[in-house]
């Protein structure tokens, strides 16, 4: 079951079991809250849209935590006026877990599926000693071939003097 409800000036589309962050709500960690401002409910192929609200629809949630959002920077500037102002802002948020969505008498609760495996634990076999490692044969040094440059006699280009 899917529902769209309104809180904190915003609209949220939720399913049962979903965790979401909304604007700060009054309450402590672990408290239950119900939202009656439900705008639409959808179940399988049946959709109900309110005008403006759906009658008898309620979204129930549990407060998981009261937190603050990440900081945003507010920077104001007027060019050529030597005016600059920097501020930071952290919004207060409430973390909710949607417990159930009910419409009239029908109720869709969050379903937790816990998988329990009860396989017998086998005892670990004793570790075998590793075979001693063979030493690698020493590598032969590779000699580089050098080329020998032959000396070239230079011929002088200056004219020989007469005797």
């Amino acid at each position: 079951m899917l529902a769209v409800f309104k809180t904190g000036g915003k609209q949220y589309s939720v399913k049962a079991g979903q965790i979401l962050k909304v604007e700060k709500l009054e309450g402590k960690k672990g408290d239950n809250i119900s939202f009656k401002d439900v705008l639409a409910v959808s179940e399988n192929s049946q959709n109900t849209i309110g005008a403006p609200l759906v009658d008898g629809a309620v979204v129930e949630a549990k407060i998981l935590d009261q937190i603050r959002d990440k900081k945003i920077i507010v920077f104001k500037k007027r060019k050529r006026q030597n005016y600059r102002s920097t501020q930071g802002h952290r919004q207060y948020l409430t973390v909710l877990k949607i417990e159930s969505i009910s419409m009239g008498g029908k109720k869709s609760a969050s379903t937790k599926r816990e998988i329990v495996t009860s396989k017998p634990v086998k005892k670990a076999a004793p570790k075998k000693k590793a075979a001693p490692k063979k030493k690698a044969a020493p590598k032969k040094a590779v000699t580089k071939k050098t080329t020998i440059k032959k000396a070239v006699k230079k011929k002088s280009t200056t004219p020989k003097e007469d005797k």
Side-chain angles (χ1 to χ4, degrees), residues 17-19 59 61 63-64 74-75 79 82 84 107 130 137-138 159:
Q18 183 177 343
I19 295 174
V59 175
I63 297 177
L64 296 180
V74 180
F75 182 71
K79 62 183 180 179
N82 197 22
R84 284 182 295 249
K107 193 171 189 178

Side-chain angles (χ1 to χ4, degrees), residues 3-17:
V4 177
F5 71 97
K6 180 171 66 172
T7 181
K10 299 179 182 78
Q11 297 175 5
Y12 298 94
S13 174
V14 295
K15 292 181 180 179

Side-chain angles (χ1 to χ4, degrees), residues 13-79:
S13 174
V14 295
K15 292 181 180 179
Q18 183 177 343
I19 295 174
L20 77 145
K21 297 176 187 175
V22 298
E23 297 282 325
K24 183 167 175 32
L25 299 170
E26 294 298 322
K28 295 181 181 178
K29 193 174 185 177
D31 289 351
N32 289 325
I33 295 179
S34 60
F35 299 99
K36 295 181 179 161
D37 294 342
V38 180
L39 305 171
V41 177
S42 173
E43 183 178 10
N44 298 331
S45 62
Q46 182 183 6
N47 299 327
T48 306
I49 298 173
L53 302 174
V54 177
D55 293 331
V58 178
V59 175
E60 295 175 3
K62 181 179 181 181
I63 297 177
L64 296 180
D65 206 359
Q66 298 280 6
I67 61 170
R68 293 184 77 183
D69 202 6
K70 64 181 181 180
K71 182 181 275 192
I72 60 167
I73 305 297
V74 180
F75 182 71
K76 297 178 183 177
K77 180 181 178 183
R78 306 238 184 225
K79 62 183 180 179

